[in-house]
Amino acid sequence: MDTGNPILWWVLFNIFILVCLAIDLGLHRRAHVIGTREALLWSGIWIGLAMLFNLGLYYWRGPDVALAFLTGYMIEKSLSVDNVFVFYLIFSYFAVPAAYQHKVLFWGVLGAIVMRAILIFLGVILIRQFHWIVFVFGALLIVTGLRMAFSHSSEVHPERNPLLRLVRRMVPVTGEYVEDNLFTRLNSRLVATPLFIVLVVVETTDLIFAVDSIPAILAITTDPFIVYTSNVFAILGLRSLYFALAGVIPMFKYLHYGLAVILVFVGVKMLVSDFYKISVGTSLGVVGVLLAISVIGSLLFAPRPPGSLRDKTPQP
């Protein structure tokens, strides 16, 4: 099917994303605590937009491309659950007031889109120029999946972040939060606030997650537009997902095992790609079944924690 001018697709999509971000920023100009109801509403909006976009792909580029987008979106969306838990730990470590967390995640999402676009183009170029890199990505995903399955540590140590140490050496930082500002003036001098430090940690953490998740989507398709758009839609919904799920993540004790098996499956798919082709439809089915089993198993069989993250969420 004729897809028209591919450059036009890129331009229109990015204009659409910028408009969405501008609307989001305008609606959240005043810092406030994002409640579960508001978070669920925005989660529904972002998921709905992604499905409408997927329907458009089905109409203009055919079912195969639409299926590849949906599979990539599901993989990225499921892996973003790990981001949610880590972001909670970062906000707790820095005692970020709940009313200021949305602003950090907003700018974090904007930076993540730029970083992931660069990584996606590099990944696609590497795979097309050096086919053997597929096996490197596959092995990386398997190792990551096994590490996720057997690692029981949920601690985050921002003080070990080398970029954070570098920023603190180069940029003066105030001792307290100054409302939801990333920078402020102190004695006529522009200085960073602790919220900027939190943003640096969030960005570098997301970069680490991107190194794992982008090869997983490249196992489904190497079409840069599909990889990019599925990533962006999943990232756009990450903030609302955080506020909707941060309080109930401990209920899903077995979810990380499902995510680990998904990564191993996708890694194996890349390793055997020269000998056996696993269809996109099969990949989508496997991802969906693994997520369903891990979530249902958590709800039915996992022991309930004495408290929940919601009880401990920092308040403004």
Side-chain angles (χ1 to χ4, degrees):
M1 183 178 291
D2 182 19
T3 60
N5 186 349
I7 297 179
L8 182 61
W9 279 76
W10 284 94
V11 172
L12 292 177
F13 179 78
N14 283 291
I15 290 176
F16 167 74
I17 295 304
L18 290 174
V19 170
C20 287
L21 289 173
I23 293 173
D24 189 307
L25 185 62
L27 292 175
H28 294 90
R29 283 180 296 178
R30 184 179 61 84
H32 66 283
V33 178
I34 306 295
T36 303
R37 185 175 180 178
E38 181 181 354
L40 290 174
L41 174 62
W42 276 101
S43 290
I45 290 173
W46 293 124
I47 293 173
L49 288 173
M51 294 304 98
L52 285 175
F53 180 79
N54 195 37
L55 184 63
L57 286 175
Y58 180 89
Y59 178 77
W60 281 294
R61 297 191 59 182
D64 292 340
V65 173
L67 192 61
F69 170 87
L70 182 60
T71 306
Y73 176 74
M74 280 190 62
I75 290 176
E76 182 63 36
K77 197 72 173 176
S78 59
L79 291 176
S80 66
V81 174
D82 254 13
N83 297 52
V84 168
F85 188 67
V86 172
F87 290 164
Y88 165 80
L89 294 175
I90 292 172
F91 288 149
S92 298
Y93 179 89
F94 287 101
V96 180
Y100 304 162
Q101 293 173 7
H102 181 275
K103 185 167 186 177
V104 174
L105 292 177
F106 174 87
W107 292 110
V109 162
L110 196 59
I113 290 174
V114 174
M115 288 191 299
R116 288 179 184 236
I118 295 171
L119 289 176
I120 287 168
F121 280 107
L122 288 176
V124 170
I125 291 172
L126 285 174
I127 287 178
R128 290 180 176 177
Q129 296 294 322
F130 308 100
H131 179 68
W132 54 265
I133 205 72
V134 168
F135 304 112
V136 176
F137 285 167
L140 174 64
L141 290 173
I142 292 174
V143 170
T144 302
L146 293 175
R147 187 179 61 200
M148 181 184 294
F150 294 105
S151 173
H152 300 288
S153 173
S154 59
E155 295 183 357
V156 174
H157 301 281
E159 71 279 0
R160 299 178 185 175
N161 187 315
L163 182 58
L164 175 59
R165 292 199 296 265
L166 178 62
V167 169
R168 277 179 164 163
R169 289 176 183 174
M170 298 180 61
V171 181
V173 182
T174 61
E176 299 178 350
Y177 291 104
V178 184
E179 297 181 343
D180 62 343
N181 297 316
L182 299 174
F183 295 92
T184 189
R185 288 200 173 274
L186 187 62
N187 298 325
S188 300
R189 184 184 183 190
L190 187 65
V191 297
T193 71
L195 209 61
F196 176 74
I197 299 298
V198 177
L199 177 60
V200 171
V201 176
V202 166
E203 289 284 17
T204 52
T205 301
D206 181 76
L207 181 60
I208 295 171
F209 278 112
V211 172
D212 293 334
S213 65
I214 288 176
I217 301 181
L218 289 173
I220 305 300
T221 177
T222 55
D223 183 332
F225 184 73
I226 300 305
V227 179
Y228 175 70
T229 53
S230 59
N231 248 268
V232 168
F233 270 115
I235 292 170
L236 285 174
L238 183 58
R239 289 160 300 155
S240 52
L241 184 68
Y242 166 78
F243 292 108
L245 295 184
V248 297
I249 282 293
M251 294 175 58
F252 303 107
K253 288 290 185 181
Y254 301 139
L255 182 58
H256 75 282
Y257 292 113
L259 299 178
V261 177
I262 287 173
L263 287 177
V264 171
F265 165 73
V266 175
V268 170
K269 181 180 186 297
M270 298 188 86
L271 290 181
V272 304
S273 59
D274 280 358
F275 317 102
Y276 181 77
K277 297 291 185 183
I278 300 176
S279 68
V280 177
T282 300
S283 299
L284 177 61
V286 170
V287 171
V289 169
L290 289 172
L291 283 175
I293 290 174
S294 59
V295 170
I296 295 173
S298 298
L299 295 176
L300 294 179
F301 305 111
R304 292 289 176 269
S308 70
L309 293 183
R310 180 171 299 179
D311 298 329
K312 304 173 185 177
T313 301
Q315 297 299 315

